[in-house]
Short mmCIF file of all heavy atoms in Angstrom, two decimals:
data_model
loop_
_atom_site.label_atom_id
_atom_site.label_comp_id
_atom_site.label_asym_id
_atom_site.label_seq_id
_atom_site.Cartn_x
_atom_site.Cartn_y
_atom_site.Cartn_z
N PRO Q 818 -92.55 -48.41 -99.82
CA PRO Q 818 -92.42 -49.43 -98.77
C PRO Q 818 -93.71 -49.58 -97.96
O PRO Q 818 -94.49 -48.63 -97.82
CB PRO Q 818 -91.28 -48.89 -97.89
CG PRO Q 818 -91.32 -47.41 -98.10
CD PRO Q 818 -91.74 -47.22 -99.53
N ILE Q 819 -93.92 -50.77 -97.45
CA ILE Q 819 -95.09 -51.03 -96.61
C ILE Q 819 -94.94 -50.28 -95.28
O ILE Q 819 -95.92 -49.76 -94.73
CB ILE Q 819 -95.24 -52.54 -96.37
CG1 ILE Q 819 -95.52 -53.26 -97.70
CG2 ILE Q 819 -96.37 -52.83 -95.38
CD1 ILE Q 819 -95.59 -54.75 -97.57
N VAL Q 820 -93.71 -50.22 -94.77
CA VAL Q 820 -93.43 -49.53 -93.52
C VAL Q 820 -92.68 -48.25 -93.81
O VAL Q 820 -91.63 -48.28 -94.47
CB VAL Q 820 -92.63 -50.42 -92.55
CG1 VAL Q 820 -92.27 -49.65 -91.29
CG2 VAL Q 820 -93.43 -51.67 -92.19
N GLU Q 821 -93.19 -47.12 -93.35
CA GLU Q 821 -92.56 -45.81 -93.57
C GLU Q 821 -91.75 -45.41 -92.34
O GLU Q 821 -92.18 -45.63 -91.21
CB GLU Q 821 -93.65 -44.76 -93.82
CG GLU Q 821 -93.13 -43.33 -93.89
CD GLU Q 821 -94.24 -42.32 -93.78
OE1 GLU Q 821 -95.42 -42.72 -93.68
OE2 GLU Q 821 -93.94 -41.11 -93.75
N ARG Q 822 -90.58 -44.83 -92.58
CA ARG Q 822 -89.74 -44.34 -91.50
C ARG Q 822 -90.02 -42.84 -91.35
O ARG Q 822 -89.64 -42.04 -92.19
CB ARG Q 822 -88.27 -44.59 -91.83
CG ARG Q 822 -87.32 -44.56 -90.68
CD ARG Q 822 -85.99 -45.14 -91.11
NE ARG Q 822 -85.53 -44.53 -92.34
CZ ARG Q 822 -84.58 -43.60 -92.41
NH1 ARG Q 822 -84.00 -43.16 -91.30
NH2 ARG Q 822 -84.20 -43.09 -93.55
N ARG Q 823 -90.70 -42.45 -90.26
CA ARG Q 823 -91.14 -41.07 -90.09
C ARG Q 823 -90.34 -40.39 -88.98
O ARG Q 823 -90.35 -40.83 -87.83
CB ARG Q 823 -92.62 -41.04 -89.75
CG ARG Q 823 -93.22 -39.63 -89.66
CD ARG Q 823 -94.71 -39.69 -89.37
NE ARG Q 823 -95.44 -40.38 -90.44
CZ ARG Q 823 -96.76 -40.61 -90.38
NH1 ARG Q 823 -97.47 -40.22 -89.32
NH2 ARG Q 823 -97.35 -41.24 -91.38
N PRO Q 824 -89.60 -39.30 -89.30
CA PRO Q 824 -88.81 -38.61 -88.27
C PRO Q 824 -89.73 -37.89 -87.27
O PRO Q 824 -90.82 -37.44 -87.61
CB PRO Q 824 -87.98 -37.62 -89.08
CG PRO Q 824 -88.76 -37.38 -90.33
CD PRO Q 824 -89.47 -38.67 -90.63
N PHE Q 825 -89.25 -37.81 -86.05
CA PHE Q 825 -90.01 -37.07 -85.03
C PHE Q 825 -89.06 -36.33 -84.11
O PHE Q 825 -87.88 -36.67 -84.00
CB PHE Q 825 -90.92 -38.02 -84.22
CG PHE Q 825 -90.16 -38.99 -83.35
CD1 PHE Q 825 -89.63 -38.61 -82.12
CD2 PHE Q 825 -90.01 -40.32 -83.74
CE1 PHE Q 825 -88.94 -39.51 -81.32
CE2 PHE Q 825 -89.32 -41.22 -82.96
CZ PHE Q 825 -88.79 -40.82 -81.74
N VAL Q 826 -89.56 -35.31 -83.48
CA VAL Q 826 -88.86 -34.60 -82.41
C VAL Q 826 -89.80 -34.55 -81.22
O VAL Q 826 -90.89 -33.99 -81.30
CB VAL Q 826 -88.47 -33.16 -82.83
CG1 VAL Q 826 -87.80 -32.46 -81.66
CG2 VAL Q 826 -87.56 -33.18 -84.05
N MET Q 827 -89.39 -35.16 -80.13
CA MET Q 827 -90.26 -35.28 -78.96
C MET Q 827 -89.84 -34.28 -77.88
O MET Q 827 -88.70 -34.30 -77.41
CB MET Q 827 -90.19 -36.70 -78.39
CG MET Q 827 -91.17 -36.96 -77.26
SD MET Q 827 -90.95 -38.63 -76.59
CE MET Q 827 -91.23 -39.61 -78.06
N PRO Q 828 -90.74 -33.38 -77.51
CA PRO Q 828 -90.39 -32.42 -76.44
C PRO Q 828 -90.26 -33.12 -75.10
O PRO Q 828 -90.88 -34.16 -74.86
CB PRO Q 828 -91.56 -31.44 -76.46
CG PRO Q 828 -92.70 -32.24 -77.02
CD PRO Q 828 -92.11 -33.18 -78.01
N GLU Q 829 -89.46 -32.55 -74.23
CA GLU Q 829 -89.29 -33.14 -72.90
C GLU Q 829 -90.57 -32.97 -72.08
O GLU Q 829 -91.32 -32.00 -72.26
CB GLU Q 829 -88.12 -32.48 -72.18
CG GLU Q 829 -86.77 -32.78 -72.80
CD GLU Q 829 -85.63 -32.36 -71.89
OE1 GLU Q 829 -85.91 -32.01 -70.72
OE2 GLU Q 829 -84.48 -32.38 -72.36
N PRO Q 830 -90.84 -33.91 -71.19
CA PRO Q 830 -92.04 -33.79 -70.35
C PRO Q 830 -91.91 -32.62 -69.38
O PRO Q 830 -90.80 -32.18 -69.06
CB PRO Q 830 -92.09 -35.13 -69.62
CG PRO Q 830 -90.67 -35.60 -69.60
CD PRO Q 830 -90.07 -35.13 -70.89
N SER Q 831 -93.03 -32.15 -68.94
CA SER Q 831 -93.06 -31.04 -67.98
C SER Q 831 -94.26 -31.22 -67.07
O SER Q 831 -95.07 -32.15 -67.25
CB SER Q 831 -93.13 -29.70 -68.71
OG SER Q 831 -94.37 -29.57 -69.39
N LEU Q 832 -94.39 -30.32 -66.11
CA LEU Q 832 -95.56 -30.39 -65.23
C LEU Q 832 -96.85 -30.20 -66.01
O LEU Q 832 -97.92 -30.71 -65.62
CB LEU Q 832 -95.44 -29.34 -64.12
CG LEU Q 832 -94.32 -29.56 -63.10
CD1 LEU Q 832 -94.25 -28.41 -62.12
CD2 LEU Q 832 -94.55 -30.88 -62.35
N ASP Q 833 -96.76 -29.47 -67.11
CA ASP Q 833 -97.94 -29.24 -67.93
C ASP Q 833 -98.15 -30.34 -68.98
O ASP Q 833 -99.19 -30.37 -69.64
CB ASP Q 833 -97.83 -27.89 -68.64
CG ASP Q 833 -97.79 -26.73 -67.66
OD1 ASP Q 833 -98.45 -26.83 -66.61
OD2 ASP Q 833 -97.07 -25.74 -67.95
N ASP Q 834 -97.16 -31.20 -69.14
CA ASP Q 834 -97.26 -32.29 -70.13
C ASP Q 834 -96.87 -33.59 -69.45
O ASP Q 834 -95.70 -33.96 -69.40
CB ASP Q 834 -96.34 -32.00 -71.32
CG ASP Q 834 -96.43 -33.09 -72.39
OD1 ASP Q 834 -97.28 -33.99 -72.26
OD2 ASP Q 834 -95.65 -33.02 -73.37
N GLN Q 835 -97.83 -34.26 -68.88
CA GLN Q 835 -97.58 -35.48 -68.14
C GLN Q 835 -98.13 -36.71 -68.86
O GLN Q 835 -98.53 -37.69 -68.24
CB GLN Q 835 -98.18 -35.37 -66.74
CG GLN Q 835 -97.58 -34.23 -65.92
CD GLN Q 835 -98.01 -34.26 -64.49
OE1 GLN Q 835 -98.33 -35.31 -63.93
NE2 GLN Q 835 -98.05 -33.08 -63.86
N ARG Q 836 -98.11 -36.67 -70.21
CA ARG Q 836 -98.51 -37.84 -70.98
C ARG Q 836 -97.52 -38.99 -70.76
O ARG Q 836 -96.35 -38.77 -70.43
CB ARG Q 836 -98.56 -37.50 -72.47
CG ARG Q 836 -99.66 -36.53 -72.88
CD ARG Q 836 -99.48 -36.10 -74.33
NE ARG Q 836 -98.24 -35.34 -74.49
CZ ARG Q 836 -97.72 -35.01 -75.67
NH1 ARG Q 836 -98.34 -35.39 -76.79
NH2 ARG Q 836 -96.61 -34.31 -75.74
N SER Q 837 -97.98 -40.21 -70.95
CA SER Q 837 -97.10 -41.37 -70.83
C SER Q 837 -96.08 -41.34 -71.97
O SER Q 837 -96.27 -40.67 -72.99
CB SER Q 837 -97.92 -42.66 -70.90
OG SER Q 837 -98.49 -42.81 -72.20
N ASP Q 838 -94.98 -42.09 -71.77
CA ASP Q 838 -93.97 -42.18 -72.83
C ASP Q 838 -94.59 -42.67 -74.14
O ASP Q 838 -94.29 -42.16 -75.21
CB ASP Q 838 -92.85 -43.13 -72.41
CG ASP Q 838 -91.97 -42.54 -71.32
OD1 ASP Q 838 -91.97 -41.30 -71.18
OD2 ASP Q 838 -91.27 -43.31 -70.65
N LEU Q 839 -95.44 -43.68 -74.05
CA LEU Q 839 -96.06 -44.24 -75.25
C LEU Q 839 -96.92 -43.20 -75.96
O LEU Q 839 -96.84 -43.04 -77.18
CB LEU Q 839 -96.89 -45.47 -74.89
CG LEU Q 839 -97.67 -46.11 -76.05
CD1 LEU Q 839 -96.73 -46.52 -77.17
CD2 LEU Q 839 -98.48 -47.30 -75.54
N GLN Q 840 -97.74 -42.48 -75.21
CA GLN Q 840 -98.63 -41.51 -75.83
C GLN Q 840 -97.83 -40.36 -76.45
O GLN Q 840 -98.18 -39.86 -77.52
CB GLN Q 840 -99.62 -40.97 -74.80
CG GLN Q 840 -100.73 -40.11 -75.41
CD GLN Q 840 -101.52 -40.88 -76.46
OE1 GLN Q 840 -102.04 -41.94 -76.18
NE2 GLN Q 840 -101.63 -40.32 -77.67
N ARG Q 841 -96.76 -39.94 -75.79
CA ARG Q 841 -95.94 -38.86 -76.33
C ARG Q 841 -95.27 -39.29 -77.63
O ARG Q 841 -95.13 -38.49 -78.56
CB ARG Q 841 -94.91 -38.43 -75.29
CG ARG Q 841 -95.56 -37.74 -74.07
CD ARG Q 841 -94.55 -37.46 -72.96
NE ARG Q 841 -93.53 -36.53 -73.39
CZ ARG Q 841 -92.23 -36.84 -73.48
NH1 ARG Q 841 -91.82 -38.06 -73.15
NH2 ARG Q 841 -91.36 -35.95 -73.87
N LEU Q 842 -94.85 -40.56 -77.71
CA LEU Q 842 -94.25 -41.06 -78.94
C LEU Q 842 -95.29 -41.14 -80.05
O LEU Q 842 -95.02 -40.75 -81.19
CB LEU Q 842 -93.63 -42.45 -78.70
CG LEU Q 842 -93.02 -43.14 -79.93
CD1 LEU Q 842 -91.86 -42.29 -80.49
CD2 LEU Q 842 -92.54 -44.54 -79.58
N ILE Q 843 -96.48 -41.64 -79.73
CA ILE Q 843 -97.56 -41.72 -80.72
C ILE Q 843 -97.88 -40.34 -81.27
O ILE Q 843 -98.00 -40.14 -82.48
CB ILE Q 843 -98.81 -42.39 -80.10
CG1 ILE Q 843 -98.54 -43.87 -79.83
CG2 ILE Q 843 -100.02 -42.22 -81.02
CD1 ILE Q 843 -99.67 -44.56 -79.09
N ASP Q 844 -97.99 -39.38 -80.39
CA ASP Q 844 -98.32 -38.01 -80.80
C ASP Q 844 -97.20 -37.40 -81.63
O ASP Q 844 -97.45 -36.71 -82.63
CB ASP Q 844 -98.60 -37.14 -79.58
CG ASP Q 844 -99.87 -37.56 -78.85
OD1 ASP Q 844 -100.68 -38.28 -79.46
OD2 ASP Q 844 -100.03 -37.18 -77.67
N ALA Q 845 -95.95 -37.64 -81.23
CA ALA Q 845 -94.82 -37.07 -81.95
C ALA Q 845 -94.73 -37.62 -83.37
O ALA Q 845 -94.30 -36.91 -84.30
CB ALA Q 845 -93.52 -37.35 -81.19
N CYS Q 846 -95.15 -38.87 -83.56
CA CYS Q 846 -95.11 -39.49 -84.89
C CYS Q 846 -96.36 -39.19 -85.71
O CYS Q 846 -96.41 -39.53 -86.89
CB CYS Q 846 -94.95 -41.01 -84.75
SG CYS Q 846 -93.36 -41.54 -84.07
N GLY Q 847 -97.35 -38.58 -85.08
CA GLY Q 847 -98.59 -38.31 -85.79
C GLY Q 847 -99.39 -39.57 -86.06
O GLY Q 847 -100.15 -39.64 -87.03
N ALA Q 848 -99.21 -40.56 -85.20
CA ALA Q 848 -99.92 -41.83 -85.38
C ALA Q 848 -101.29 -41.79 -84.71
O ALA Q 848 -101.54 -40.99 -83.81
CB ALA Q 848 -99.09 -42.97 -84.78
N LYS Q 849 -102.17 -42.66 -85.18
CA LYS Q 849 -103.50 -42.76 -84.60
C LYS Q 849 -103.61 -43.93 -83.62
O LYS Q 849 -104.61 -44.07 -82.91
CB LYS Q 849 -104.54 -42.92 -85.70
CG LYS Q 849 -104.68 -41.69 -86.58
CD LYS Q 849 -105.77 -41.88 -87.63
CE LYS Q 849 -105.91 -40.63 -88.49
NZ LYS Q 849 -106.96 -40.79 -89.54
N GLY Q 850 -102.60 -44.77 -83.59
CA GLY Q 850 -102.57 -45.92 -82.69
C GLY Q 850 -101.23 -46.61 -82.81
O GLY Q 850 -100.33 -46.15 -83.51
N HIS Q 851 -101.08 -47.73 -82.10
CA HIS Q 851 -99.81 -48.45 -82.16
C HIS Q 851 -100.05 -49.95 -82.17
O HIS Q 851 -101.12 -50.44 -81.79
CB HIS Q 851 -98.93 -48.07 -80.97
CG HIS Q 851 -99.28 -48.79 -79.70
ND1 HIS Q 851 -98.68 -49.98 -79.33
CD2 HIS Q 851 -100.18 -48.50 -78.72
CE1 HIS Q 851 -99.20 -50.38 -78.17
NE2 HIS Q 851 -100.10 -49.51 -77.78
N ALA Q 852 -99.02 -50.68 -82.62
CA ALA Q 852 -99.03 -52.14 -82.59
C ALA Q 852 -97.64 -52.61 -82.13
O ALA Q 852 -97.06 -53.52 -82.71
CB ALA Q 852 -99.38 -52.70 -83.97
N LEU Q 853 -97.11 -51.95 -81.09
CA LEU Q 853 -95.80 -52.30 -80.56
C LEU Q 853 -95.88 -53.59 -79.76
O LEU Q 853 -96.83 -53.82 -79.02
CB LEU Q 853 -95.27 -51.16 -79.68
CG LEU Q 853 -95.08 -49.80 -80.35
CD1 LEU Q 853 -94.60 -48.78 -79.32
CD2 LEU Q 853 -94.11 -49.90 -81.51
N GLY Q 854 -94.84 -54.42 -79.90
CA GLY Q 854 -94.77 -55.65 -79.13
C GLY Q 854 -94.35 -55.39 -77.70
O GLY Q 854 -93.92 -54.28 -77.35
N LEU Q 855 -94.44 -56.40 -76.85
CA LEU Q 855 -94.10 -56.25 -75.44
C LEU Q 855 -92.64 -55.84 -75.26
O LEU Q 855 -92.30 -55.03 -74.39
CB LEU Q 855 -94.38 -57.55 -74.68
CG LEU Q 855 -95.86 -57.94 -74.53
CD1 LEU Q 855 -95.99 -59.29 -73.83
CD2 LEU Q 855 -96.59 -56.85 -73.74
N GLY Q 856 -91.75 -56.40 -76.09
CA GLY Q 856 -90.34 -56.05 -75.98
C GLY Q 856 -90.09 -54.59 -76.31
O GLY Q 856 -89.29 -53.92 -75.64
N GLN Q 857 -90.79 -54.08 -77.33
CA GLN Q 857 -90.63 -52.68 -77.69
C GLN Q 857 -91.20 -51.76 -76.61
O GLN Q 857 -90.63 -50.71 -76.31
CB GLN Q 857 -91.34 -52.41 -79.02
CG GLN Q 857 -90.69 -53.09 -80.22
CD GLN Q 857 -91.52 -52.89 -81.48
OE1 GLN Q 857 -92.70 -53.19 -81.52
NE2 GLN Q 857 -90.87 -52.39 -82.53
N LEU Q 858 -92.33 -52.15 -76.03
CA LEU Q 858 -92.91 -51.34 -74.97
C LEU Q 858 -92.00 -51.29 -73.75
O LEU Q 858 -91.85 -50.23 -73.10
CB LEU Q 858 -94.29 -51.90 -74.58
CG LEU Q 858 -95.38 -51.75 -75.63
CD1 LEU Q 858 -96.64 -52.51 -75.21
CD2 LEU Q 858 -95.71 -50.28 -75.87
N ALA Q 859 -91.38 -52.43 -73.43
CA ALA Q 859 -90.49 -52.48 -72.26
C ALA Q 859 -89.24 -51.63 -72.48
O ALA Q 859 -88.69 -51.05 -71.53
CB ALA Q 859 -90.10 -53.92 -71.96
N ALA Q 860 -88.77 -51.55 -73.74
CA ALA Q 860 -87.55 -50.80 -74.04
C ALA Q 860 -87.81 -49.32 -74.30
O ALA Q 860 -86.86 -48.54 -74.43
CB ALA Q 860 -86.84 -51.42 -75.25
N LEU Q 861 -89.08 -48.94 -74.37
CA LEU Q 861 -89.41 -47.56 -74.75
C LEU Q 861 -88.88 -46.51 -73.77
O LEU Q 861 -88.33 -45.49 -74.23
CB LEU Q 861 -90.93 -47.43 -74.91
CG LEU Q 861 -91.44 -46.06 -75.35
CD1 LEU Q 861 -90.79 -45.64 -76.66
CD2 LEU Q 861 -92.96 -46.08 -75.48
N PRO Q 862 -89.01 -46.66 -72.45
CA PRO Q 862 -88.48 -45.62 -71.54
C PRO Q 862 -87.00 -45.34 -71.75
O PRO Q 862 -86.59 -44.17 -71.81
CB PRO Q 862 -88.77 -46.20 -70.16
CG PRO Q 862 -89.94 -47.10 -70.36
CD PRO Q 862 -89.73 -47.72 -71.70
N ALA Q 863 -86.20 -46.39 -71.90
CA ALA Q 863 -84.76 -46.19 -72.11
C ALA Q 863 -84.50 -45.53 -73.45
O ALA Q 863 -83.61 -44.67 -73.58
CB ALA Q 863 -84.03 -47.54 -72.03
N PHE Q 864 -85.28 -45.90 -74.47
CA PHE Q 864 -85.12 -45.30 -75.80
C PHE Q 864 -85.38 -43.79 -75.74
O PHE Q 864 -84.63 -43.00 -76.30
CB PHE Q 864 -86.06 -45.97 -76.79
CG PHE Q 864 -86.16 -45.25 -78.11
CD1 PHE Q 864 -85.17 -45.39 -79.07
CD2 PHE Q 864 -87.25 -44.43 -78.40
CE1 PHE Q 864 -85.24 -44.73 -80.29
CE2 PHE Q 864 -87.34 -43.77 -79.62
CZ PHE Q 864 -86.34 -43.91 -80.56
#
């Protein structure tokens, strides 16, 4: 497939880990960048 579905496990934030939601998701997926649309970015905190 052109798009791969990659599982991730995201640790909860802490005082020692204050990365943004987006950066934590990128890191958890092992991605080097993102191309998320505005709707996906807006829904990310709830997700």
Side-chain angles (χ1 to χ4, degrees):
I819 296 176
V820 176
E821 173 195 359
R822 199 167 50 103
R823 185 178 298 177
F825 67 80
V826 177
M827 186 183 302
E829 292 192 10
S831 66
L832 292 176
D833 296 326
D834 182 6
Q835 299 189 28
R836 292 171 296 169
S837 67
D838 288 340
L839 176 58
Q840 189 58 55
R841 292 173 63 243
L842 178 61
I843 291 174
D844 293 343
C846 293
K849 293 182 179 179
H851 80 92
L853 300 178
L855 291 177
Q857 292 175 306
L858 291 172
L861 182 57
F864 169 79

